[in-house]
Amino acid sequence: MQLLAIHGPNLNLLGSREPGLYGTASLEQIDADLRRRAETLAVEIDCFQSNHEGALVDRIQQARGRVDGILVNAGAYTHTSIAIRDALLAVAIPYVELHLSNTHAREAFRHHSYLADRAVGVICGFGAASYGLALEGLVAHLRARP
Ligand code: DQA
């Protein structure tokens, strides 16, 4: 089983970015943890971060036919990007949306997601642990499919 983790804008700054909100784990640590967990679950995972909407769309398009499931924290693009939504729907790969923070407990503009209604599920509010929870949920979903 091949998975892809998509990290959107500003997530490259995790560890130093608003640590009270997003915690102190760096993106490198989060990716290393995802790879360890993936190994334990006997799945493969690639991780990709970009601050650019088009680069995220390109990476999602490249996954078509090669990837079984996607973990996506699109950062602020979650709340703005029809292009990322369209890319995820175009490749027709099941995805889990996740966030470190509980977006529903924050500003009103973070309450809407362009991705959530077509996601397998959404995990938010558990800090860096959201990634591991999302990975487990996605793998369980994919394994349960007929
Ligand atoms: C975030 C939440 C978004 O609203 C924000 O723009 C981010 C991070 C999170 O993981 O909590 O960049 O996706």
Side-chain angles (χ1 to χ4, degrees):
M1 192 183 287
Q2 183 67 50
L3 305 180
L4 172 65
I6 292 281
H7 308 296
N10 299 306
L11 296 174
N12 55 314
L13 298 182
L14 285 177
S16 60
R17 174 192 181 198
E18 297 184 85
L21 198 52
Y22 297 120
T24 53
S26 67
L27 190 60
E28 290 70 25
Q29 289 170 328
I30 286 171
D31 282 347
D33 186 59
L34 275 177
R35 288 198 189 91
R36 265 195 304 274
R37 286 170 184 274
E39 205 178 326
T40 306
L41 291 165
V43 300
E44 309 218 336
I45 191 159
D46 269 345
C47 302
F48 178 78
Q49 189 277 330
S50 178
N51 294 324
H52 304 278
E53 189 175 22
L56 295 165
V57 168
D58 285 344
R59 186 65 190 85
I60 292 165
Q61 287 188 10
Q62 281 164 20
R64 186 184 214 165
R66 299 188 179 131
V67 165
D68 302 297
I70 298 178
L71 297 178
V72 55
N73 182 353
Y77 286 143
T78 306
H79 319 298
T80 63
S81 180
I82 298 169
I84 291 175
R85 174 194 177 88
D86 284 352
L88 287 165
L89 299 187
V91 298
I93 299 171
Y95 64 90
V96 170
E97 173 185 337
L98 73 112
H99 303 281
L100 296 113
S101 64
N102 178 357
T103 50
H104 301 285
R106 300 181 60 193
E107 303 97 319
F109 62 82
R110 295 185 205 275
H111 297 179
H112 177 258
S113 163
Y114 277 103
L115 313 181
D117 64 305
R118 301 296 294 272
V120 172
V122 180
I123 305 270
C124 71
F126 295 95
S130 289
Y131 286 89
L133 294 169
L135 176 67
E136 284 190 21
L138 179 60
V139 170
H141 169 81
L142 294 172
R143 290 202 165 133
R145 288 196 310 182

